[in-house]
Amino acid sequence: MTQGKIRKHDAKLNAIARLADSAIILITFLALMDIFAIEWQPKHVWSLLLSIVLFNFFAESLDAYRSWRGTDLRHELYAILFAWLTAILILIVAELLILNEQTYAKPFVAIWIIVTPIEIISWHMIVRTGLGMMRAKGLNTRRVAIIGATSLGHMLESAFREMDWSGYRFSGFYDDRKPAPDRRLNDEQVEVVGNIDQLIQDCKDGKVDVVFITLSLAAEARIKQVTEELADTTASVYLVPDLFTFNLLNSRWVEYQGITAISIYETPFAGVDSIIKRVEDIVLSFMILLLIAIPMIFIAACIKTTSKGPVFFKQTRYGMDGEKIRVWKFRTMYVAEDGPKVIQATKNDPRVTPFGGFLRRTSLDELPQFFNSLGGSMSIVGPRPHAVAHNEEYRSKIHGYMLRHKVKPGITGLAQINGYRGETDTLDKMEGRVKYDLQYIQNWSLMLDLKIIMLTILRGFSGKNVY
């Protein structure tokens, strides 16, 4: 069979949707200028152009233009609203800091900012509603069958039943294997309507329009045989890889000269996202350091006057991709351990100075790490860095432990706002921390970073296990 390139589904429809959204932004702006009798100026060109470019960039980053048949409406509306507000916020800040003007304070522009997302969301909802009404009447519907009564197939069936507006009508499972824990679910969990031969006949008879294959990746020969038999029908065929057998970390598909590959373990900070993350760290670290400069000077003076030793303590930690970095902290102990064996601080630890105990309980000892973030060895948000000795201990005890190093370590993180701070005296505590670290990597977004920073401030920096 001739090999072909794997293309993105509904790419042309997505392009039309982007064009329509851009047209709404443009037409609304021009209409409001006409209503308010505003004279056209060159700066309006840049305002329009940048708003359209930035909106499309953030909307695409948030997957606002995925296939409407298989995407949740709430996700789409959230993506549109967030993309628009982010684009406008950037333009307002740039104008105030660079151009020193107040274009966005004018009434017609303020109305444009408010009305435009309402219009974009409205037309998306109108299209969705119209398609839903058509499909409710049996128009533009597709009868779907699943080959493989597996856990993955069961998840896919549940998704189809929840998306009744999508036009997918589930016909049933087809499987000729006997129930087994490692192969297919039993008859009480799913209803198998026929074997593969029955499916082929149903496809030929026009009873099935789309076939999804959810067999295990180990059944390569069987999958090939089934697809060859389905080539004698007019049904559309989709292969759903059983990637859930892997512990996916920021999975995505990439294309090399028409050859598609799916990542199993990958950092979320690739390409443009790495630039966004770096800009976030530089801007926020610089602003925070300006705010905490005087408190840091006061803390340094207190450390120097209450115990002997340096103000700062630098410890070797693992950074992104496992590279060793030097993490800055205010010294809180009489000792400065940084070797092959590092003992975690415990309650009433005699190594901790009286003032150091206060710094540790309030996490003020970690303020110098904003220099790490500004310099690029750390991030404001990310998995907390552990001592090298602890990394070597836990990497053999916790599956996937080193995957947390696919991103830069952070000053705060998802694990910390969920209670995993301080001493990890038991394996389950470290497992809980790692679970949240990997969840952060899997679900990273600029919005998630800002949420973690806000929750860190609101919930405070102290914890019951911090000594």
Side-chain angles (χ1 to χ4, degrees), residues 31-306:
L32 287 170
M33 286 189 68
D34 185 62
I35 293 172
F36 282 82
I38 303 297
E39 183 180 351
W40 181 263
Q41 298 179 28
K43 64 181 179 181
H44 294 145
V45 177
W46 290 107
S47 296
L48 269 173
L49 181 61
L50 290 174
S51 65
I52 291 172
V53 170
L54 288 172
F55 170 77
N56 277 275
F57 170 76
F58 288 113
E60 180 66 26
S61 299
L62 293 166
D63 288 332
Y65 298 109
R66 287 188 295 177
S67 172
W68 283 354
R69 188 185 287 270
T71 306
D72 182 73
L73 176 61
R74 287 175 298 177
H75 170 85
E76 184 182 337
L77 301 186
Y78 158 79
I80 291 170
L81 185 60
F82 182 78
W84 177 252
L85 293 178
T86 305
I88 293 301
L89 180 62
I90 291 174
L91 291 175
I92 292 175
V93 172
E95 184 179 72
L96 293 175
L97 297 181
I98 300 174
L99 302 177
N100 196 26
E101 294 186 6
Q102 295 184 343
T103 303
Y104 292 91
K106 295 181 178 179
F108 91 95
V109 177
I111 295 174
W112 173 67
I113 292 173
I114 297 172
V115 170
T116 299
I118 297 175
E119 292 177 331
I120 295 175
I121 289 173
S122 296
W123 98 261
H124 279 249
M125 292 182 66
I126 290 171
V127 171
R128 287 263 196 166
T129 303
L131 291 173
M133 292 174 63
M134 289 172 56
R135 290 162 183 165
K137 295 181 178 180
L139 301 174
N140 194 26
T141 59
R142 311 192 79 183
R143 291 161 293 185
V144 174
I146 296 178
I147 296 179
T150 61
S151 297
L152 178 60
H154 186 47
M155 291 170 59
L156 189 60
E157 179 216 1
S158 299
F160 290 146
R161 296 195 185 281
E162 290 175 5
M163 300 187 306
D164 54 348
W165 46 264
S166 68
Y168 286 131
R169 299 293 181 260
F170 183 63
S171 299
F173 287 98
Y174 292 81
D175 204 326
D176 47 16
R177 302 169 301 170
K178 293 182 178 180
D182 59 340
R183 287 188 297 171
R184 58 153 285 195
L185 304 176
N186 58 49
D187 296 332
E188 295 179 357
Q189 295 171 293
V190 295
E191 181 181 356
V192 177
V193 298
N195 56 23
I196 305 302
D197 291 336
Q198 181 63 52
L199 171 65
I200 302 299
Q201 188 59 51
D202 288 347
C203 289
K204 290 180 178 179
D205 294 340
K207 297 179 180 179
V208 173
D209 301 310
V210 185
V211 176
F212 288 87
I213 303 174
T214 61
L215 297 174
S216 168
L217 290 176
E220 179 184 357
R222 183 58 168 150
I223 292 172
K224 186 175 181 180
Q225 177 189 348
V226 170
T227 54
E228 288 178 349
E229 293 179 6
L230 286 169
D232 190 34
T233 74
T234 59
S236 299
V237 181
Y238 289 84
L239 175 63
V240 185
D242 192 10
L243 296 177
F244 295 100
T245 57
F246 303 99
N247 183 20
L248 297 180
L249 190 73
N250 198 52
S251 180
R252 66 183 72 183
W253 64 267
V254 293
E255 199 171 272
Y256 303 101
Q257 295 293 329
I259 301 174
T260 301
I262 299 175
S263 65
I264 304 299
Y265 305 134
E266 182 55 281
T267 175
F269 307 125
V272 176
D273 285 338
S274 66
I275 298 175
I276 294 174
K277 181 69 168 176
R278 187 70 189 114
V279 170
E280 173 197 340
D281 286 334
I282 292 173
V283 172
L284 293 181
S285 296
F286 183 74
M287 293 172 60
I288 292 172
L289 283 170
L290 288 178
L291 292 174
I292 65 176
I294 294 178
M296 285 182 66
I297 293 173
F298 176 77
I299 291 172
C302 290
I303 292 173
K304 204 64 180 174
T305 56
T306 55

